[in-house]
Amino acid sequence: MSSTHPNLSVTESFEESTAVKKIQEPREVEADGGAGSPRSTENPLPRVVLRPNTYSLLDGEWKFSLDQDDRGLREAWYLGYKYPHTANWPGSVEEHMAQNKDELQTPAWQDKVIAWYEREFTRPEKLESGGKRIYQITFGACGYETRVWLNGRLLTDIEGGEVHYGEYNSFSFEINEDHLLPVNWLTVRISHSMDAEVPRGKQESHVYKRGGIWYQTYAGAVRSVWLETVERNRLRSRVGVQGLIEDSLVRFNFTTRIQDPGQYTLRLNIYERDGGDNAVPLATSDYPLKLEAGQKSQYVVIEVPNAELWCPENPHLYRFVAQLIDASGYSAEIEGHFGLRKIEARGRHLYLNNQEIYLDGILYQPGTATYDEMKRHMYAMKELGCNLVRVHIAGIDPRIYNLADEMGLLLWVEVPSPHSSTKRSRENHRLELMRMLALIETNPSVIIWSLYNEDWGAQDIATNPETRAYIMEVFHFMKIRYPQFLVVDNDGWQHISYEGKLKSDMLTAHLYTPELDQWKILLDKLTAGEMEGVAVLPLVIGDQYFYRGQTPVIVSEWGGFGFSDYGGPKSSEERTEQIRAFKKELRKRRIAGDVYTQATNIEEEKNGLIDFHTGELSVPPGLLSTRDFVERNDDQKNG
């Protein structure tokens, strides 16, 4: 059904006005497990795990107004207000201000921005199935602080908050059907500021002003919003997956949301991802659960016989269908994919599925890229010869993680950092990490997490025991709770040593020089275990740390050729030869991986190898791959 203009009138139907899509309705489930659910060929919403249901996008033109005097709450705009402007959702507050700048007459730089959005939609059809289903409104990402009203009623999100904090991950509101009117209005208040204690990555703040490597803020209504049907008693669309490849075992972590306590059955079916609609499960198992009202995490383990492993050369994926079945046989279902893989840091090397792997990486800053542009970037990075993409302190559309799974691209993800080191900034950092983990714990492509980058938000890491204690606590938590990931404490320099033990799975360094001779000197110092005079700041702080080859060394940023601060403009040919020479020196030494800076240009950083809009390369394909170089060296040794 085609989409129509999102501004609704009373006479328009819900299906016509909001592009209702019917993926699959819930159904009665037979005792033998039945067939697997049909696969959706394309994920239409910015989420990793799918739910077979009816949904309707609420994207498009919304009413819009700035509220720089913060009058809206006092004057109860959510009960009725004449909004003077319009804005297209999704889109950032900054974009909407720019589009209405002639009418708004506000300065370009704002210490704090408060914006209100509102749209109408007609009442959807009344739900059936004996009261087993409800409506839910989900925001793909919005913030940093978001309040939502439906018909003047302040909504409380599923986590129990009246204000949602964060701007990188989805959040949802369950809707009481009795509160829906023939014509409904949805009101959203978004607040964002230059607060340095808020996770923001490389966006400007009170500490770092725009320019150089500090970018224009990009906040607000940044991803889609939709209305969907969900079951009262269901599995949430956040799933953790850990593989035990030696035994072909997969450990799933499901979250149940129950409004009617009782006895339930969790049924898990595993299929080949490319199997047809009537495919027979490769594995199936039932798990009886007695569930109370509320939310609960539940781990279950299933064996996938003769499992094929996931890796960049063979990104083999399986499909899971998980059903929560009540005593009457009614099923609530979610569906997703996973891959079996194991990542380890042992001695000087990294091992994927017990095979040594070298990381040919590239730094990726998506900035304001659309989903389609990000897809083009991913394919281009693969074409460059990369097997790893370091998504640099930013949140991205979750479908990109799924795309990386399908392409066989390893991902290194990072928590968007605050810009000051305080108790509040650390708590905000922890909450942002937990929000990210909840939504991308499924993807086999994600292998590395950075907690901090170059001590942004942890500037006192070398002098403040509380800062180090917090980072160590999170590192230990990650290693116990998420053993499927490698974790870096503070990428680039100033890694933490406690009692001589490095609190990072890898010793990473950011090395920038345009001079080949100096590059060789830096690499020699790094691999010799020198902790000072290599990166901008000492590589390790805290207790004494003696590198003896017990940790993989990663040059996690280098190059930047073309950016004025890292070597100045270069022609495409000069840059190509420079990269080849620098990569050759990397592979001569005991280094486990490298990350070239960077994929695309972004604002003042003019050092990209890929056109931001088209995805075309400005250098030869395969330039960042060292496989051919290593094979040539091996042939020479064997000859």
Side-chain angles (χ1 to χ4, degrees), residues 515-534:
E515 302 299 331
L516 185 59
D517 289 342
Q518 178 64 17
W519 178 242
K520 296 175 183 178
I521 292 171
L522 292 177
L523 293 182
D524 286 340
K525 286 185 175 182
L526 177 65
T527 52
E530 296 187 28
M531 298 293 109
E532 299 191 21
V534 180

Side-chain angles (χ1 to χ4, degrees), residues 323-494:
Q323 302 163 315
L324 188 66
I325 307 166
D326 67 16
S328 71
Y330 186 83
S331 168
E333 185 176 294
I334 57 175
E335 174 183 338
H337 70 249
F338 68 96
L340 270 77
R341 65 107 180 105
K342 175 184 179 182
I343 188 72
E344 288 182 289
R346 282 192 257 136
R348 298 180 189 271
H349 306 290
L350 298 176
Y351 293 85
L352 181 65
N353 302 333
N354 296 321
Q355 300 293 319
E356 184 184 338
I357 184 173
Y358 184 88
L359 300 181
D360 284 313
I362 190 167
L363 191 79
Y364 178 46
Q365 303 189 85
T368 59
T370 65
Y371 172 57
D372 287 334
E373 287 170 335
M374 282 190 280
K375 286 199 296 185
R376 290 193 282 272
H377 298 163
M378 294 291 283
Y379 283 109
M381 289 185 279
K382 183 88 171 182
E383 188 180 1
L384 277 170
C386 298
N387 62 8
L388 175 129
V389 174
R390 181 177 163 216
V391 183
H392 194 33
I393 47 179
I396 57 174
D397 190 307
R399 289 172 291 185
I400 295 299
Y401 303 116
N402 281 1
L403 179 63
D405 295 342
E406 296 167 2
M407 295 174 60
L409 267 176
L410 301 169
L411 294 181
W412 179 337
V413 298
E414 304 174 318
V415 188
S417 57
H419 289 176
S420 64
S421 182
T422 65
K423 182 178 180 180
R424 178 171 172 259
S425 78
R426 290 189 285 274
E427 179 62 12
N428 286 337
H429 176 275
R430 184 185 68 81
L431 292 172
E432 198 69 65
L433 169 65
M434 298 309 296
R435 286 189 287 262
M436 292 179 70
L437 283 165
L439 294 178
I440 56 173
E441 192 188 345
T442 312
N443 302 93
S445 57
V446 179
I447 62 166
I448 302 172
W449 285 76
S450 285
L451 303 181
Y452 284 90
N453 175 77
E454 294 182 352
D455 61 52
W456 302 340
Q459 295 93 331
D460 55 358
I461 187 173
T463 59
N464 188 346
E466 292 183 2
T467 300
R468 293 196 298 276
Y470 166 72
I471 296 174
M472 286 192 290
E473 177 187 351
V474 175
F475 175 79
H476 293 150
F477 165 77
M478 291 284 288
K479 298 309 298 178
I480 294 171
R481 175 63 177 76
Y482 301 97
Q484 69 270 40
F485 303 129
L486 299 177
V487 181
V488 178
D489 56 348
N490 175 48
D491 184 51
W493 51 68
Q494 296 201 110

Side-chain angles (χ1 to χ4, degrees), residues 571-583 620 623:
S571 69
S572 177
E573 293 77 13
E574 289 176 309
R575 187 184 304 184
T576 296
E577 293 308 312
Q578 197 169 12
I579 290 172
R580 282 180 178 152
F582 276 53
K583 285 285 283 191
L623 179 62

